[in-house]
């Protein structure tokens, strides 16, 4: 009886093996059918492989955390020992308890957590290939060393942060190659077309979005990150193919919230890497170029959240393809690149696990010190209660996304403080309802980063913008105090939102304020649904209600075509966007202009075209696209620059040109086409560097400001070659905040106070318009925050920021500064809506 059973068992084993019923863990090469580095692996196959590993290894679990704009799946993997997996929720919650962000006492089951993020830039493609290699090495049954590391640590792997950008690049590259790769830098396959694969669907650089969270991929990823709060975070990148490899420690300047331990352990990690790189004679460098200051990188934002945040950069990028000849005559291959990233990733896991106890202890100290003994001069930040409630709502929503706590002041007091509006230290009054953010909290360091008036720069040679202060960013009045105020009453963002309909039930007109992007979203929605609206160009009072310039007036008589659905559409949109509506029973005002006056302008439905393609900045084009598509939610037609000359502009009443250099695009014939369209009534909106292409051409009045340069001093003439970079920055600003004085009687500035704070991205400045409307101007002593070179100050002062020129029957809107930059400068966005809905009407 036993012999037949044995035969049956043998048969079943052979059957299961041959049919795959007993699946086995496969290496990437076995699973994919080619050696990593031989070709690019598209997103769906990377996803298939990491899913395979999770299904066939007890050391891995896979978790979907979201989808991209193009509906590609986003996942992360948790890699650790079987024992740790059995207690993984305890480990995770313990870690949050150590931060103070989760209530309760942590048990002794504490593990170091290392998070590896791959492919945030889509055309820096080797890192997702390296992620598969690293994942397999960690779980390979024959690798005893990795099993020891996984006993002491948890490794989280996000194999592809930006699938949309990566697939854009990979699919393009695979369509360009022949039977063999061509490493000649001039080869077609090494010169990707606009917009390139670096950015996501909306052409946003997601490595600048970690803090601001404007993109759906970032929003979903950060929510998961905050569920774990890792101790070490690595963001994998690529740079120019003639550079070798960059790893920690980072370059200066460091933001002054960064602790000695964070800088010390960066060095420890970097030295561990050198052990492997030296063994293989691989070139590398540290402490140059990539600093730790701007808060929205994949190294800085984790650092300000207590982690050891690092960027690793390998030679390559979109211009390296699968193989490229370097300046030394060597061929840099995709296999080389992924191998170096793989080794650096494994080294990071190793050194973190070896130092696990200290890593966890110092991480705990970071949050304890923040809550109990915070560094920095300022101990609390105040947002005045009488600010625009929509702006307060959005600030508090942002603070919630960062896990930063706040409350009300609780009592009235007078004190000395830095006044963000004046830029001066002075005596101020704080009321009981004012909102307070104290740095005595777990995320106190992060609060400092977002609110400090002018964070100290140890070195002015920095990699990015140098200001992002929250009061200026959201357009809010408030103070920074060197004394602490403990917030009292708990509040929430929704406390500052209303949706109340008052006045007549079936009014002559609905009236609502205009002073935030929420009002613009309301107008965008009802306009798309066929509602016709007007806006007042003067302040007015009606039936006891006071309204400012820009307020919307939605007349029943103008909307008879909607019949019974008129009230429903308007009221539903008001509810959607938390807008107050006043139902006026008459068009006769107490003061101001009656609703039939020429001072109450009809809003022609905007038909908007946006120019994008070669010649435009893909980032700026993406900012405009995202603004209309995702923020304002108003339709546009995107016209490729290659198609511009055959486009019929008469179909549109507004044309937006994003920032860019427009080389070969805005030819004389193209400028004449635009000029003719504007003269016939078009509304041309120029953003950032797009203004350059119109200076002193075809009757456009804009001119660049000229500042007399002084003769160089003997000291300057004899300055050393090594100081050349430092000398050059004296004429620049890398992103600073300036007060702009607004002419609030012009529709472009409706909804704003007379003071607006702009993000100045360049010292390139323009003169006031001789025969136009100088609506936003930078006057003397207007600087507020961020680095500005000494010689750049005179260039920026007394210059134009926003202007409008009447041009025939149309208008030209000059937006010298880009209010949509990276989608995070919230207070500038209403001006773009004004340019679309109000200017020219």
């Amino acid at each position: 009886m036993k012999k037949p059973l044995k035969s049956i068992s043998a048969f079943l084993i052979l059957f299961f093996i041959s049919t795959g019923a007993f699946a086995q863990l496969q290496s990437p090469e076995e699973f994919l059918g080619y050696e990593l580095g031989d070709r690019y692996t598209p997103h769906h196959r990377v996803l298939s492989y990491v899913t395979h590993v999770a299904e066939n290894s007890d050391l891995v679990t896979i978790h979907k955390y979201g989808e991209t704009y193009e509906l590609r799946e986003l996942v992360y993997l948790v890699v650790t020992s079987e024992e740790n997996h059995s207690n993984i929720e305890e480990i995770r919650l313990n870690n949050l308890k150590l931060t103070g962000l989760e209530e309760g006492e942590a048990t002794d089951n504490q593990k170091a957590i290392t998070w590896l993020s791959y492919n945030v830039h889509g055309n820096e493609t080797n890192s997702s290939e390296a992620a598969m290699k690293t994942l397999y090495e960690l779980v390979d049954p024959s690798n005893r060393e990795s099993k020891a590391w996984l006993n002491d640590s948890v490794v989280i792997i996000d194999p592809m942060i930006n699938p949309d950008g990566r697939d854009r690049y990979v699919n393009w590259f695979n369509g360009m190659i022949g039977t063999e790769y061509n490493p000649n830098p001039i080869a077609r396959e090494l010169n990707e077309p606009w917009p390139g694969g670096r950015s996501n669907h909306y052409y946003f650089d997601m490595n600048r979005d970690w803090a601001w969270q404007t993109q759906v991929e970032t929003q979903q990823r950060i929510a998961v990150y905050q569920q774990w709060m890792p101790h070490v975070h690595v963001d994998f990148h690529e740079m120019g193919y003639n550079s070798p490899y960059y790893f920690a420690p980072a370059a200066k300047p460091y933001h002054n919230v960064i602790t000695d331990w964070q800088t010390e352990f960066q060095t420890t990690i970097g030295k561990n890497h050198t052990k492997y790189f030296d063994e293989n004679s691989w070139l590398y460098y540290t402490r140059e170029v990539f600093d730790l200051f701007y808060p929205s990188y994949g190294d800085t934002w984790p650092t300000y959240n207590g982690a050891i945040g690092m960027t690793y950069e390998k030679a390559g990028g979109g211009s390296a393809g699968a193989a490229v000849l370097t300046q030394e005559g060597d061929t840099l291959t995709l296999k080389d690149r992924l191998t170096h990233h793989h080794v650096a990733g494994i080294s990071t896991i190793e050194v973190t696990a070896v130092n696990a106890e200290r890593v966890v202890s110092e991480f705990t100290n970071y949050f304890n010190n923040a809550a109990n003994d915070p560094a920095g001069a300022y101990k609390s930040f105040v947002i005045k209660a009488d600010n625009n409630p929509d702006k307060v709502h959005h600030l508090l929503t942002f603070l919630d996304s960062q896990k930063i706590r706040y409350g009300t002041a609780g009592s009235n007091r007078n004190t000395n403080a830095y006044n963000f509006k004046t830029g001066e230290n002075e005596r101020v009054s704080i009321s009981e309802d004012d909102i307070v953010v104290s740095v005595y909290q777990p995320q106190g360091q992060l609060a400092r980063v977002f609110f400090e008036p002018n964070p100290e720069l140890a070195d002015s040679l920095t990699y990015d913008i140098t200001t992002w202060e929250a009061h200026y960013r959201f357009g809010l009045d408030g103070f920074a105090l060197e004394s602490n105020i403990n917030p009292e009453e708990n509040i929430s963002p929704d406390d500052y939102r209303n949706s109340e309909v008052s006045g007549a039930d079936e009014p002559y007109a609905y009236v609502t304020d205009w002073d935030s992007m929420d009002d613009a979203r309301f107008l965008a929605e009802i306009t798309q649904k066929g509602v016709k609206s007007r806006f007042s160009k003067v302040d007015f009072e009606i039936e006891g209600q006071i309204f400012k310039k820009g307020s919307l007036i939605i007349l029943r008589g103008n909307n008879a075509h909607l019949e019974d659905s008129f009230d429903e559409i308007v009221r539903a949109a008001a509810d959607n966007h938390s807008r107050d509506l006043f139902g006026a029973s008459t068009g006769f005002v107490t003061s101001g202009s009656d609703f039939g006056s020429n001072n109450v302008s009809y809003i022609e439905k905007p038909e908007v075209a946006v120019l994008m393609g070669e010649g435009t900045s893909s980032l700026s084009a993406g900012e405009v696209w995202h603004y209309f598509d995702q923020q304002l939610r108003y339709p546009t037609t995107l016209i490729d620059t290659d198609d511009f000359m055959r486009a019929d502009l008469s179909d549109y009443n507004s044309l937006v040109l994003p920032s860019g250099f427009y080389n070969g695009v805005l030819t004389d014939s193209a400028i004449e086409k635009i000029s003719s369209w504007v003269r016939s009534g078009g509304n041309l909106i120029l953003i950032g560097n797009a203004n350059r292409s119109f200076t002193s051409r075809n009757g456009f009045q804009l001119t660049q400001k000229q500042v007399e340069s002084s003769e160089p001093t003997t000291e300057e003439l004899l300055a050393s070659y090594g100081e050349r970079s430092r000398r050059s920055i004296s004429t620049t600003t890398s992103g600073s905040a300036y007060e702009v004085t607004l002419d609030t009687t012009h529709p472009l500035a409706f909804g704003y106070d007379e003071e607006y704070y702009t993000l100045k991205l360049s010292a390139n400045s323009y003169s006031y318009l001789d025969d136009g409307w100088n609506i936003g101007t930078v006057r003397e002593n207007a600087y507020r925050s961020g680095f500005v070179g000494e010689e750049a100050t005179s260039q920026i002062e007394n210059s134009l920021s926003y202007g409008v020129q009447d041009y025939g029957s149309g208008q030209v809107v000059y937006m010298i500064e880009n209010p949509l930059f990276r989608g995070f400068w919230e207070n500038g966005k209403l001006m773009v809506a004004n340019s679309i809905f109000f200017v020219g009407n």
Side-chain angles (χ1 to χ4, degrees):
M1 294 293 293
K2 290 182 180 179
K3 193 171 183 179
L5 287 174
K6 186 174 181 181
S7 299
I8 292 171
S9 298
F11 169 78
L12 288 174
I13 290 171
L14 287 171
F15 170 79
F16 285 138
I17 292 174
S18 65
T19 60
F22 281 162
Q24 294 179 332
L25 178 64
Q26 294 180 311
S27 69
E29 291 75 17
E30 292 168 331
F31 184 89
L32 297 170
Y34 54 85
E35 293 286 326
L36 288 176
D38 283 353
R39 66 182 67 178
Y40 282 117
T41 311
H43 167 259
H44 73 277
R45 297 217 68 199
V46 174
L47 184 62
S48 294
Y49 179 68
V50 299
T51 301
H52 160 79
V53 174
E55 290 173 345
N56 292 281
S57 173
D58 293 332
L59 305 181
V60 183
T61 56
I62 187 169
H63 308 266
K64 178 179 177 179
Y65 69 84
E67 291 180 340
T68 69
Y69 285 112
E70 296 177 18
L71 303 183
R72 291 183 176 88
E73 197 167 344
L74 296 164
V75 301
Y76 73 96
L77 301 115
V78 178
V79 189
T80 192
S81 68
E82 290 185 53
E83 181 180 354
N84 288 343
H85 269 299
S86 66
N87 300 294
I88 197 66
E89 189 64 4
E90 179 188 5
I91 293 170
R92 186 186 70 80
L93 289 174
N94 275 341
N95 193 54
L96 293 183
K97 291 173 183 176
L98 296 179
T99 68
L101 297 172
E102 179 80 18
E103 293 183 357
E105 198 72 29
T107 69
D108 292 334
N109 193 2
Q110 300 166 18
K111 305 296 178 182
I113 302 173
T114 301
W115 187 304
L116 306 179
S117 291
Y118 297 91
N119 226 149
V120 67
H121 289 150
N123 60 2
E124 298 175 9
T125 39
N126 94 68
S127 67
S128 286
E129 312 290 339
M132 292 186 284
K133 187 175 180 69
T134 299
L135 175 63
Y136 180 71
E137 181 161 333
L138 288 176
V139 302
D140 182 355
S142 67
N143 189 337
R144 294 182 179 179
E145 204 170 19
S146 66
K147 304 309 171 295
W149 303 335
L150 296 180
N151 284 331
D152 296 320
S153 69
V154 175
V155 178
I156 297 175
I157 293 176
D158 187 332
M160 196 182 300
I161 289 178
N162 182 8
D164 291 351
R166 179 185 166 89
D167 269 9
R168 184 189 312 134
Y169 174 79
V170 168
N171 292 335
W172 169 82
F173 182 83
N174 288 340
M176 293 295 104
I177 57 174
T179 55
E180 293 187 4
Y181 301 126
N182 187 336
N184 190 325
I186 200 62
R188 181 179 67 158
E189 67 201 61
L190 302 184
N191 293 276
E192 59 179 321
W194 192 97
R198 177 184 177 90
S199 52
N200 75 338
H201 174 78
Y202 283 104
Y203 308 155
F204 269 66
D205 182 338
M206 293 207 299
N207 192 40
R208 271 76 175 171
D209 194 48
W210 284 76
W212 318 135
Q213 301 172 33
T214 68
Q215 302 301 290
V216 68
E217 296 95 339
T218 314
Q219 294 160 10
Q220 296 167 127
R221 183 177 69 256
I222 295 303
V224 173
Y225 186 103
Q226 290 170 331
Q227 293 170 12
W228 288 93
M229 295 294 285
H231 308 127
V232 174
H233 180 267
V234 182
D235 197 22
F236 289 88
H237 287 265
E238 294 182 56
M239 52 187 168
Y241 59 76
N242 285 315
S243 299
Y245 197 102
Y246 165 84
F247 50 72
K252 291 185 177 180
Y254 292 174
H255 196 289
N256 55 18
V257 304
I258 296 172
T259 66
D260 291 342
W261 157 252
Q262 287 174 311
T263 58
E264 173 192 331
F265 199 61
Q266 275 210 355
T267 302
T268 300
I269 292 171
K271 287 183 175 179
N272 202 65
H273 297 349
T274 65
K275 177 174 62 178
Y276 299 105
F277 277 62
D278 289 346
E279 283 177 5
N280 289 281
S281 299
W282 296 337
L283 287 174
Y284 55 87
Y285 68 96
T286 64
R287 296 162 292 183
E288 295 180 32
V289 182
F290 304 104
D291 61 67
L292 290 175
F293 192 68
Y294 173 70
S296 203
Y297 286 135
D299 54 7
T300 49
W301 189 83
T303 297
Y304 302 150
N305 279 271
I308 312 299
M310 296 170 293
T311 289
Y312 295 171
E313 297 263 359
K314 174 59 191 170
S319 57
V324 65
L325 282 171
T326 68
Q327 61 188 5
E328 297 176 352
D330 297 327
T331 300
L332 176 67
T333 68
L334 176 58
K335 188 169 292 186
D336 296 331
R337 290 150 54 197
L338 75 89
T339 300
H340 294 185
H341 262 344
H342 161 68
V343 169
I346 288 292
S347 172
T348 305
I349 295 165
E350 174 194 36
V351 69
T352 303
V354 169
N355 294 276
E357 187 174 340
R358 177 98 190 267
V359 167
V360 174
S361 174
E362 293 289 352
F363 179 78
T364 306
N365 290 340
Y366 180 94
F367 291 95
N368 284 340
N369 291 337
N372 300 302
D373 187 23
Y378 296 105
K379 303 304 181 186
S380 51
F381 304 98
V382 174
I383 300 95
K384 293 296 293 177
D386 58 2
N387 278 295
N388 178 285
D390 290 333
K391 296 178 181 180
V392 174
H393 167 87
H394 291 297
L395 170 68
L396 299 187
T397 300
F398 171 73
L399 295 182
D400 284 349
S401 77
Q402 306 293 324
K403 307 295 184 185
I404 294 174
R405 298 167 182 169
Y406 51 84
T408 57
S411 62
N412 300 328
R413 68 198 78 187
N414 296 318
T415 186
N416 293 320
Y418 178 89
N419 187 335
F420 285 99
K421 184 173 184 177
T422 64
E424 301 289 343
N425 289 298
E426 56 192 53
R427 198 75 177 164
V428 302
S429 295
I430 297 173
S431 70
E432 60 181 349
D433 294 326
D434 289 346
I435 300 161
V436 174
V437 178
S438 168
V439 297
Y440 286 84
Q441 60 168 301
Q443 288 289 39
Q445 298 286 55
L446 193 58
R448 279 183 60 198
V449 169
F450 292 133
F451 282 102
E452 276 188 326
N454 216 340
E456 180 183 345
L457 264 172
D459 191 327
S460 52
L461 280 174
T462 182
Y463 193 60
D464 213 294
I465 65 172
T466 54
T467 192
W468 44 81
E469 198 285 320
H471 289 82
Y472 300 136
R473 180 182 157 215
F474 286 91
L476 297 164
D477 291 340
F479 317 118
L481 281 66
E482 295 185 11
S483 58
N484 183 47
I485 300 177
N486 287 319
E488 294 193 12
E489 182 184 352
N490 290 328
I491 52 176
S492 76
D494 289 340
D495 294 336
Y496 296 85
R497 299 297 290 267
N498 295 307
S499 180
E500 181 182 350
V501 180
S502 59
D505 290 337
E506 290 190 12
Y508 177 86
Y510 289 105
V511 186
T512 187
D513 296 318
W514 181 270
D515 50 24
S516 79
M517 265 296 289
D518 297 284
D519 297 312
R521 294 183 185 102
F522 164 76
L523 176 58
E525 180 177 331
I526 63 173
T527 300
Q528 289 181 79
K529 293 182 177 178
V531 174
K532 298 177 180 179
S533 304
R534 296 173 181 256
F535 70 96
S536 177
K537 293 189 286 188
V538 296
D539 299 341
F540 65 94
E541 181 179 353
I542 186 168
E543 298 180 327
Q545 303 294 314
I546 297 174
F547 294 93
K548 294 182 179 179
K549 301 179 208 52
S551 294
L552 299 178
I553 298 168
I554 309 163
L555 294 163
R556 184 175 297 277
N558 273 165
N559 290 283
H561 61 288
L562 295 174
E563 299 178 342
D564 293 341
S565 63
F566 168 64
D567 296 280
E568 181 182 344
I569 291 172
V570 175
R571 289 174 181 246
D575 187 58
N576 290 342
H577 301 284
S578 300
R579 300 299 87 199
D580 286 341
L581 288 177
F582 174 70
S585 61
T586 178
F588 182 80
V589 301
T590 307
S591 64
S593 293
D594 295 331
F595 292 174
S597 165
N598 287 336
N599 283 326
V600 178
S601 294
Y602 173 69
I603 300 174
E604 182 182 359
K605 183 180 180 181
E607 301 292 346
V608 184
V610 178
L611 195 59
M612 57 170 53
E614 291 287 352
T616 68
S617 160
S618 61
L619 297 175
S620 180
E623 290 156 5
V624 175
W625 182 18
H626 186 266
Y627 173 82
F628 282 102
D629 214 36
Q630 292 291 324
Q631 299 174 53
L632 189 61
R633 295 197 176 275
Y634 193 84
T636 60
T637 299
L638 309 179
I639 300 177
D640 195 283
T641 52
D642 288 342
D643 300 322
F644 177 68
M645 290 306 294
R646 62 187 183 87
D648 185 357
L649 293 185
S650 66
D651 293 338
Y652 310 99
N653 50 34
S654 287
L655 174 64
V656 182
L657 269 61
S659 189
F661 293 98
Y662 291 89
N663 297 332
V665 175
L666 293 179
T667 60
D668 289 344
S669 57
I671 289 288
E672 178 53 39
K673 177 176 182 173
I674 293 173
S675 301
S676 176
W677 172 79
V678 177
R679 283 193 294 265
S680 298
N683 183 34
L684 176 64
I685 301 160
L686 306 175
I687 297 177
N689 277 334
N691 288 278
R692 283 189 175 188
S693 299
F694 289 82
T695 55
S696 304
R697 293 178 74 180
N698 270 41
F700 294 100
Q701 294 179 15
L702 193 66
T703 58
Q704 285 199 281
K705 182 182 175 186
Q706 302 298 324
V707 176
E708 291 185 14
S709 57
S710 58
E711 291 293 323
T713 64
T714 302
E715 183 181 3
E716 289 171 334
L717 289 171
L718 297 178
S720 68
Y721 174 77
E723 288 292 306
R724 64 195 185 282
S725 296
R726 218 163 287 283
R727 292 201 312 274
S728 67
I729 64 172
S730 66
T731 61
T732 67
T733 176
S734 52
S736 52
Y738 270 80
E739 179 186 294
V740 171
T741 301
L742 291 179
D743 174 5
T744 57
T745 67
H746 192 283
L748 185 64
F750 282 177
Y752 285 92
D753 296 327
E754 290 184 359
E755 300 88 9
Y756 164 76
Y757 299 93
T758 192
L759 183 62
K760 193 77 178 171
L761 298 170
S762 168
N764 293 329
S765 300
Y766 292 83
S767 301
Y768 298 147
L769 300 173
D770 289 335
D771 187 20
W773 307 107
N774 295 293
I775 294 152
T777 53
V778 178
R779 311 286 176 86
E780 293 181 0
N781 302 315
Y783 164 80
R784 287 295 179 270
S785 179
F787 171 75
V788 182
E790 185 177 355
E791 295 181 36
T793 301
S794 59
Q795 181 80 2
I796 294 171
E797 288 183 342
N798 300 309
S799 67
L800 180 71
S801 282
Y802 300 97
V804 173
Q805 174 190 348
D806 293 331
Y807 191 100
S809 298
Q811 296 78 33
V812 185
V813 180
Y814 299 111
M815 293 192 168
I816 309 304
E817 271 80 67
N818 177 5
L820 303 181
F821 179 69
R822 294 182 186 167
F824 88 103
W825 201 259
E826 298 296 332
N827 198 32
K829 295 177 181 179
L830 181 63
M831 203 171 301
V832 180
N834 288 347
S835 73
I836 295 294
F837 288 110
F838 291 172
V839 173
N841 277 311

